Amino acid sequence: ESHRSLHDTHCITMSHDKQDIAVALLPRISSILSLMGSTFLMQHVLASPKRRSEPYHRLILAMSISDCFGDFVYFTGSWAI
């Protein structure tokens, strides 16, 4: 029985380690994807003088810039602590 409980404890520990890795990586992956999308939108708006002058596109640009700051904070996550 002690062998079984040791094996069960090892499996639980391995599962917990994998969860810790997933919890650490997934926010970083999603923040990188979001940053890529925001960067594309900023480039798309800034590339055209017509888009830069339209209020809708200027709002998109402002939201994308704001999102980049949030993405940076989300990416650094627990590293900042």
Side-chain angles (χ1 to χ4, degrees):
E1 268 188 51
S2 66
H3 177 65
R4 252 189 187 170
S5 64
L6 180 61
H7 176 70
D8 293 341
T9 303
H10 179 68
C11 289
I12 291 170
T13 304
M14 291 296 289
S15 175
H16 185 63
D17 291 342
K18 289 179 183 178
Q19 288 175 351
D20 288 343
I21 292 169
V23 167
L25 288 180
L26 289 177
R28 287 170 177 82
I29 292 169
S30 64
S31 67
I32 288 171
L33 293 173
S34 179
L35 184 63
M36 289 170 56
S38 294
T39 302
F40 171 77
L41 287 172
M42 288 187 294
Q43 180 271 330
H44 185 68
V45 172
L46 293 173
S48 168
K50 181 182 177 195
R51 286 190 206 107
R52 285 191 304 249
S53 66
E54 295 176 354
Y56 170 78
H57 287 99
R58 291 174 73 175
L59 286 170
I60 293 295
L61 177 63
M63 290 188 327
S64 295
I65 291 169
S66 174
D67 187 52
C68 286
F69 288 113
D71 292 336
F72 176 74
V73 170
Y74 199 54
F75 181 82
T76 56
S78 60
W79 289 344
I81 296 175

